[in-house]
C-alpha cells in the first residue's frame, strides 16, 4: 500500500503521488537519482528474528518505518514538538542533513532522501547526479530554503512520479489524504541514532551508538523502531525497509 501524510497546508505547495513501500521501486528510484548500484532497499520481515534479519546485507545504513498515523502517535508527536525549538541548522558541521516536508504526499521521497544523504550512504552518491547536486546546494541552506530548493528541483519530481506510478497497487491521486507515514532512522556523523521526519520541527537525536552498531543492531532498534512500535500498541499495519548493500 502507499504511504503518506501531509505537512501543514501551504498555499501553492506542490503535491506528489504517494509512494508505495516497495523495495524494488525504491531501489530503482534512488539509482535514478544517482545513488550507487552498490546500495539497494530491502524488505525487513522481522525486527527481532535473527534468521529473518540475516537475509539483509550488513551494515544497514538506514531504516525506514512505514506506519499508520494514529491518535496515539499524533499526541506523542505534538507533545514532543511542543518542547522543541524549530530547527535552524545548516552547513557541513551538521551531524545529519534534514529537509522539512512542504510537498504534499512526499514523505516516502523525504524518507529516501534522508536515508541516502546521511551516514556512509552519502559517500555512495555519484558525482554530478541529481542527488549530488541537491546535496551540495542544500547543505549550506537553512531548512526553509532547503525545502524551497527541493520544490524547485524538477528531476526529483519526475523521478518520483515515474516510481510512484509503477507500483503494484493503483496509485492514489496526488491530492488524496493517506493515513500512512514514513520515518527514517540513520546514524549521524556524530555516531548517534537520529530520527528524520519532515513533519517534525527538526532531526531528533535518539541516543548513542557504538562504532560497530548499525540500524538493525539491537541497541538501534530498541532506541528507535521498537520503542516506536511499543508505544503504538496493537496496530500491525506497519512495514520496514532497510538501505544496505545490493545483493547483485
Amino acid at each position: 500500500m502507499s504511504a503518506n501524510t501531509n505537512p501543514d497546508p501551504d498555499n501553492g505547495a506542490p503535491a506528489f503521488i504517494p509512494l508505495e513501500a516497495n523495495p524494488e521501486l525504491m531501489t530503482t528510484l534512488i539509482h535514478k537519482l544517482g545513488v550507487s548500484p552498490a546500495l539497494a532497499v530491502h524488505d525487513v520481515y522481522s525486527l527481532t528474528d535473527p534468521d529473518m534479519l540475516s537475509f539483509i546485507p550488513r551494515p544497514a545504513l538506514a531504516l525506514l518505518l512505514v506506519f499508520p498515523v494514529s491518535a496515539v502517535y499524533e499526541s506523542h508527536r505534538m507533545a514532543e514538538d511542543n518542547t522543541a525549538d524549530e530547527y535552524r541548522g545548516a552547513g557541513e558541521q551538521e551531524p545529519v542533513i534534514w529537509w522539512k516536508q512542504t510537498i504534499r504526499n512526499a514523505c516516502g521521497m523525504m524518507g529516501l532522501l534522508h536515508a541516502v544523504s546521511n551516514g556512509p550512504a552519502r559517500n555512495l552518491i555519484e558525482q554530478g547526479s541529481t542527488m549530488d547536486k541537491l546535496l551540495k546546494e542544500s547543505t549550506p541552506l537553512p531548512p526553509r530554503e532547503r525545502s524551497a530548493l527541493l520544490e524547485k528541483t524538477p528531476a526529483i519530481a519526475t523521478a518520483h512520479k515515474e516510481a510512484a506510478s509503477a507500483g503494484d497497487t493503483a496509485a492514489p491521486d496526488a491530492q488524496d489524504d493517506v493515513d500512512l507515514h514514513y520515518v527514517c532512522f540513520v546514524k549521524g556523523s556524530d555516531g548517534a541514532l537520529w530520527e528524520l521526519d519532515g513533519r517534525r520541527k527538526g532531526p531528533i537525536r535518539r541516543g548513542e551508538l557504538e562504532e560497530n552498531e548499525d540500524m538493525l543492531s539491537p541497541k538501534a532498534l530498541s532506541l528507535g523502531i521498537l520503542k516506536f512500535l511499543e508505544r503504538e500498541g496493537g496496530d500491525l499495519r506497519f512495514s520496514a525497509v532497510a538501505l544496505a548493500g545490493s545483493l547483485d
Side-chain angles (χ1 to χ4, degrees):
M1 181 55 198
S2 324
N4 256 315
T5 49
N6 296 300
D8 296 330
D10 186 0
N11 291 334
F16 281 3
I17 300 169
L19 184 66
E20 185 176 292
N22 177 317
E24 186 177 342
L25 285 182
M26 290 176 162
T27 298
T28 299
L29 175 54
I30 63 173
H31 291 169
K32 186 167 291 187
L33 294 176
V35 176
S36 166
L39 289 180
V41 179
H42 304 267
D43 265 319
V44 179
Y45 294 110
S46 172
L47 297 167
T48 55
D49 183 337
D51 290 337
M52 299 298 285
L53 288 172
S54 70
F55 288 108
I56 300 169
R58 307 293 284 270
L61 305 183
L63 198 57
L64 287 171
L65 176 67
V66 189
F67 63 95
V69 176
S70 65
V72 172
Y73 170 74
E74 285 295 89
S75 175
H76 173 80
R77 178 183 70 86
M78 289 187 288
E80 198 169 43
D81 280 357
N82 283 340
T83 63
D85 294 327
E86 199 73 36
Y87 184 68
R88 303 186 187 281
E92 294 286 351
Q93 75 281 1
E94 293 177 284
V96 290
I97 186 168
W98 173 82
W99 285 269
K100 187 170 184 65
Q101 182 185 340
T102 56
I103 301 171
R104 182 180 178 85
N105 283 337
C107 66
M109 173 62 86
M110 302 303 293
L112 287 175
L113 291 181
H114 287 138
V116 303
S117 301
N118 289 291
R122 184 167 182 158
N123 300 323
L124 292 169
I125 293 172
E126 295 167 349
Q127 292 286 321
S129 65
T130 297
M131 199 66 234
D132 181 50
K133 293 174 184 175
L134 178 67
L135 262 177
K136 286 177 176 172
E137 292 178 22
S138 294
T139 298
L141 301 176
R144 188 174 295 274
E145 283 81 356
R146 280 182 189 168
S147 297
L149 175 65
L150 194 56
E151 289 183 17
K152 296 169 185 172
T153 304
I156 294 284
T158 300
H160 181 280
K161 184 176 181 179
E162 288 177 6
S165 302
D168 292 333
T169 57
D173 187 86
Q175 298 296 337
D176 283 356
D177 288 325
V178 184
D179 73 342
L180 297 177
H181 188 54
Y182 285 83
V183 168
C184 180
F185 295 91
V186 299
K187 193 173 190 176
S189 61
D190 59 351
L193 175 71
W194 288 83
E195 181 181 325
L196 304 177
D197 179 352
R199 290 185 76 212
R200 306 300 294 266
K201 284 189 171 181
I204 304 168
R205 196 177 194 271
R206 290 302 187 194
E208 302 288 342
L209 295 176
E210 298 296 330
E211 187 175 346
N212 64 343
E213 291 178 313
D214 69 355
M215 291 301 94
L216 289 174
S217 67
K219 187 174 182 183
L221 290 172
S222 67
L223 288 171
I225 283 187
L226 293 179
K227 183 176 286 188
F228 196 107
L229 297 177
E230 181 182 329
R231 189 175 64 241
E232 289 302 299
D235 195 328
L236 299 179
R237 288 185 302 143
F238 75 89
S239 59
V241 295
L243 179 70
S246 173
L247 293 173
D248 295 336

